[in-house]
Amino acid sequence: MTEATVRPGSTGHSHGGGEIPLQTRNERLRSIDPSKHTKIDGRDEQWRYLDSARMGGLDTNTLRDASSELKVSAPAEFSSDLVDASDPSFGIAGLPEDLPTANAWAAATKALKLTLSGEASEPAFISVGNLDNQSAAHLIIQSKTHARGTVILDHTGKGNLAEIVEIIVGDESALTVVSIQDWDDESVHTSAQFARLGRNSKLKHVVISLGGKTVRVTPNAEFTAPGAEVELLGLYFADAGQHLEHRSYVDHAVANCKSRVTYKGALQGKGAHTVWIGDVLIRKAAEGTDTYELNRNLLLTDGARADSVPNLEIETGEIEGAGHASASGRFDDEQLFYLQARGINELDARRLVVRGFLNEIIQQIGVDSIEERLNASIELELARGNH
Amino acid sequence: MATLQVKNLHVTVETEQGSIEILKGVDLTIRSGESHAIMGPNGSGKSTLAYTIAGHPKYTVTEGEITLDGENVLEMSVDERARAGLFLAMQYPVEIPGVSVSNFLRTAKTAITGEAPAIRTWINEVREAMTNLKMDAGFTERNVNEGFSGGEKKRHEILQLELLKPKFAILDETDSGLDVDALRVVSEGVNRIKDANGFGLLLITHYTRILNYIKPDFVHVFVAGKIAEQGGPELAERLEAEGYDRYLKV
Ligand SMILES: Nc1ncnc2c1ncn2[C@@H]1O[C@H](COP(=O)(O)OP(=O)(O)OP(=O)(O)O)[C@@H](O)[C@H]1O
Ligand SMILES: [Mg+2]
């Protein structure tokens, strides 16, 4: 459960461990220059849960540009191009806030740009996988005014990848982006996903992290005009030895926008580690903001660890609502007993409970094929846990 | 004709102060079609007996046996016991977030019978059972016990009793927390299911009012981890009038 501490000099409050002094989220360095970023080091709040040894060289080595290796399969409403920094949308959704992302920026001189016009009833798929070691990729997903559609970004196989995903949500458009991290056991992946939302636009952003040695996804959402809505959803399942980290940041820079952040995770096995950090900044101008964030973790076995830190900074009192909840708990044996007492065997009972727990996210994805695949993956994870 | 037999049952639980013995030699035999009521003061071990029969891992059997038609129940896992025909309606049913009642009921039925029920007949069966218990059809879409009122949880337990058709049913204070109408609906439900299925019933209760609806063949007075006295329905009347003082003084 969380413990609230009020920070001096702020009307908001933050949670969690206190050794590292918090800067306001807005003051974090943004730069495309790798030399400006601090090395991966536990003293830096951004890296307090990870060390360089787990990063597969993404922080130290020169990366290889893999943007052109991403495979796109999309309906006619989408167009895809390889663009460079001269493209007007290149770099407008966000700039690197950490070293691997800056490394990726330097290496990936080209970006794969997917543009959505009109209403696409079928999703676009971008698949990334089986990359040579230490790759970088830059993607730009843009929905034009009034466009509607879904993009699924699917990461599988082997490879260490530092990735930048820019998501530019045009005025009055509605976009769903699903990012699946289902890598092989040894893969390392960082993905900085920057969303910039236009007037009255809607973004549903879904992160699903299942496979990989180290996965660190940092979704940022910035509102640029009123009336927009973002939903950041996340689901993760960590096994022994896996580190799955998610840090979301919602920047309520303007008035009358709404954000919902919901991340849920299951953990099993020795050394399974998950981290969720949920930053929300409500700036002075952001009157009428409505925000809520929630993170829940289900620890299926001993030896797993879930860190969960919601962090709400509020600079105006004129808001609709702002709240958060965070809880991590052990698997409830009473639930297991109840189900078994109705004849359901232990494995099926565990399945039911875990699926039930994760359902809240799965039900909201809205893409049948992904929901089915996810259900199958969860079955597999549970079977692997060998309960 | 089936028989559930409890012989010289001793049960302990682990506490921070070490293990303590809660059941101290319980003997009880229930046959199909019989109704047994257990009454006794708070903390005497009634739920412990019920949970131990169902196989809750918190309780350790140190002596004695439980058999179902001669089969050793103590060697069975919790789910095996349920599949063998034992059913416990719990005093405090557990919430299971994200699992709908309809999914839960279908999964349980499939587990008990070993095959998935035919969809159309199953849906009708569930609907009819819910109507009998005056449960709103909307409950099937809700998550198991989540946000259910105390009385709704108890009806949901009896709904499972009706659908899973066990050989023996233990109802642990199913009557507690029910209003007068609900008590009647639930009791009539139990009687109806019992007439149809002929199961053996073990009813744990603090109140004789449920015994006005469900007539017990035997009444057992449970005190300090054992059965202190047994008799017919008239024993319940006497307990209502006199309380447990005479047993506790000894
Ligand atoms: N884990 C435990 N630690 C300590 N004592 C326990 C534990 N579990 C059960 N007990 C004790 O065992 C005794 C019997 O409990 P039980 O729930 O079986 O009583 P009961 O007869 O069902 O009571 P009630 O009428 O209140 O439902 C109680 O004194 C209870 O406190
Ligand atoms: Mg009890």
Side-chain angles (χ1 to χ4, degrees):
Chain A
M1 300 290 148
T2 61
E3 182 190 311
T5 48
V6 176
R7 263 177 37 234
S10 160
T11 48
H13 55 288
S14 72
H15 293 258
E19 314 96 71
I20 296 164
L22 286 159
Q23 54 179 164
T24 171
R25 184 59 175 77
N26 173 37
E27 284 161 10
R28 186 170 294 168
L29 172 82
R30 292 184 184 89
S31 171
I32 60 170
D33 180 357
S35 71
K36 293 251 165 57
H37 290 276
T38 53
K39 298 266 175 287
I40 292 184
D41 176 330
R43 278 171 300 180
D44 181 355
E45 194 283 328
Q46 283 215 71
W47 296 106
R48 64 182 296 186
Y49 300 103
L50 265 171
D51 56 57
S52 188
R54 281 200 73 102
M55 295 307 297
L58 295 177
D59 53 332
T60 49
N61 294 18
T62 303
L63 309 178
R64 196 182 59 84
D65 185 359
S67 295
S68 63
E69 294 166 30
L70 310 180
K71 292 180 194 70
V72 179
S73 145
E77 293 82 1
F78 290 90
S79 66
S80 91
D81 307 282
L82 215 51
V83 300
D84 60 21
S86 68
D87 189 276
S89 33
F90 196 107
I92 72 160
L95 295 175
E97 295 188 319
D98 58 54
L99 182 56
T101 308
N103 278 345
W105 200 283
T109 51
K110 293 260 189 322
L112 172 73
K113 181 176 171 185
L114 202 63
T115 310
L116 168 64
S117 321
E119 292 192 21
S121 52
E122 293 298 314
F125 288 87
I126 304 173
S127 47
V128 188
N130 288 328
L131 300 161
D132 286 333
N133 260 353
Q134 288 135 22
S135 302
H138 190 155
L139 262 112
I140 301 168
I141 299 166
Q142 181 160 27
S143 58
K144 294 230 171 123
T145 308
H146 294 295
R148 271 164 196 279
T150 298
V151 177
I152 292 159
L153 179 55
D154 195 3
H155 305 90
T156 55
K158 65 178 178 59
N160 296 349
L161 175 69
E163 183 181 46
I164 297 145
V165 181
E166 295 192 68
I167 303 166
I168 304 161
V169 192
D171 292 350
E172 314 282 342
S173 74
L175 183 64
T176 296
V177 174
V178 182
S179 179
I180 304 171
Q181 292 65 241
D182 200 2
W183 298 98
D184 288 354
D185 287 347
E186 285 312 303
S187 302
V188 175
H189 183 206
T190 66
S191 187
Q193 309 205 351
F194 302 101
R196 185 180 163 87
L197 286 98
R199 181 177 301 272
N200 297 330
S201 68
K202 274 194 180 153
L203 171 67
K204 186 194 274 192
H205 183 266
V206 188
V207 172
I208 297 163
S209 298
L210 303 169
K213 176 184 169 191
T214 305
V215 172
R216 185 180 194 264
V217 183
T218 51
N220 284 17
E222 182 193 353
F223 293 110
T224 63
E229 202 177 311
V230 74
E231 206 177 346
L232 302 181
L233 301 169
L235 182 156
Y236 44 90
F237 200 131
D239 288 309
Q242 268 190 303
H243 179 104
L244 305 178
E245 181 163 329
H246 301 93
R247 291 170 173 259
S248 57
Y249 172 38
V250 182
D251 185 354
H252 279 275
V254 298
N256 300 321
C257 291
K258 179 176 169 184
S259 62
R260 289 289 179 272
V261 181
T262 313
Y263 271 68
K264 283 187 137 185
L267 297 84
Q268 66 185 7
K270 212 168 168 253
H273 189 190
T274 66
V275 176
W276 174 81
I277 312 284
D279 291 335
V280 174
L281 171 61
I282 304 172
R283 296 185 195 241
K284 211 161 186 69
E287 294 184 354
T289 288
D290 178 5
T291 179
Y292 193 82
E293 51 174 357
L294 173 140
N295 174 233
R296 290 206 193 291
N297 297 293
L298 182 59
L299 293 131
L300 301 175
T301 64
D302 289 335
R305 172 177 160 185
D307 286 290
S308 177
V309 186
N311 183 23
L312 199 52
E313 285 181 70
I314 308 175
E315 295 174 353
T316 170
E318 304 298 309
I319 53 171
E320 274 289 304
H324 59 70
S326 152
S328 301
R330 286 178 49 91
F331 193 90
D332 183 352
D333 290 333
E334 293 300 326
Q335 293 181 352
L336 201 59
F337 173 72
Y338 188 76
L339 293 171
Q340 283 189 270
R342 298 302 178 248
I344 301 168
N345 70 47
E346 186 178 343
L347 179 61
D348 286 344
R350 278 183 180 273
R351 243 181 223 150
L352 263 182
V353 172
V354 176
R355 285 265 297 274
F357 174 76
L358 297 175
N359 247 344
E360 190 183 347
I361 306 291
I362 299 176
Q363 283 165 352
Q364 291 186 67
I365 296 173
V367 183
D368 287 348
S369 62
I370 300 290
E371 288 181 21
E372 280 162 30
R373 177 169 149 198
L374 213 74
N375 283 330
S377 301
I378 291 167
E379 299 280 298
L380 215 68
E381 295 274 4
L382 284 167
R384 191 193 303 184
N386 204 11
H387 299 298
Chain B
M1 183 70 166
T3 307
L4 176 65
Q5 195 161 30
V6 176
K7 277 195 211 152
N8 188 32
L9 190 69
H10 289 253
V11 169
T12 61
V13 290
E14 288 311 314
T15 70
E16 277 161 22
Q17 289 78 39
S19 78
I20 52 168
E21 187 170 62
I22 296 172
L23 298 189
K24 299 168 178 168
V26 179
D27 290 289
L28 185 65
T29 302
I30 306 173
R31 293 181 185 83
S32 303
E34 292 178 355
S35 293
H36 294 245
I38 288 190
M39 304 184 79
N42 294 130
S44 55
K46 304 179 299 297
S47 292
T48 302
L49 174 64
Y51 274 127
T52 304
I53 295 172
H56 195 291
K58 189 168 99 176
Y59 302 98
T60 311
V61 175
T62 52
E63 210 184 321
E65 57 185 60
I66 304 175
T67 55
L68 174 59
D69 291 334
E71 299 276 337
N72 185 353
V73 169
L74 294 176
E75 278 179 0
M76 301 179 196
S77 64
V78 176
D79 47 300
E80 282 168 349
R81 295 178 196 206
R83 292 197 296 273
L86 299 179
F87 180 88
L88 168 62
M90 312 225 183
Q91 187 173 359
Y92 303 107
V94 183
E95 296 185 2
I96 314 203
V99 178
S100 70
V101 166
S102 71
N103 183 12
F104 164 67
L105 293 175
R106 196 173 2 89
T107 308
K109 183 67 181 179
T110 305
I112 297 276
T113 57
E115 59 180 355
I119 297 215
R120 188 150 320 149
T121 27
W122 174 244
I123 289 175
N124 286 335
E125 211 177 311
V126 173
R127 192 171 300 152
E128 196 185 319
M130 290 180 78
T131 309
N132 286 338
L133 288 166
K134 303 212 166 18
M135 287 179 80
D136 191 278
F139 272 97
T140 54
E141 296 314 312
R142 290 177 61 178
N143 292 332
V144 174
N145 292 321
E146 206 176 58
F148 287 22
S149 75
E152 288 164 352
K153 285 182 181 165
K154 298 302 177 70
R155 286 182 207 218
H156 180 230
E157 294 294 288
I158 301 308
L159 175 66
Q160 295 165 53
L161 171 66
E162 169 136 34
L163 295 170
L164 300 180
K165 307 195 184 341
K167 288 184 190 154
F168 290 95
I170 304 167
L171 309 189
D172 191 359
E173 294 199 26
T174 299
D175 55 334
S176 295
L178 293 181
D179 65 39
V180 275
D181 292 334
L183 181 69
R184 188 172 38 78
V185 167
V186 162
S187 307
E188 285 170 2
V190 172
N191 286 334
R192 189 187 57 248
I193 304 163
K194 189 161 172 294
D195 288 344
N197 303 350
F199 58 73
L201 174 66
L202 182 61
L203 188 76
I204 297 171
T205 183
H206 287 294
Y207 309 103
T208 47
R209 46 175 208 164
I210 193 173
L211 303 179
N212 296 332
Y213 294 103
I214 303 173
K215 293 279 174 228
D217 303 304
F218 306 93
V219 173
H220 309 269
V221 185
F222 209 83
V223 182
K226 333 185 196 201
I227 292 172
E229 189 176 358
Q230 33 198 331
E234 73 291 342
L235 184 52
E237 308 290 333
R238 205 176 77 206
L239 290 173
E240 177 105 315
E242 299 174 8
Y244 300 110
D245 271 5
R246 46 184 260 141
Y247 302 102
L248 295 170
K249 273 178 193 143
V250 200

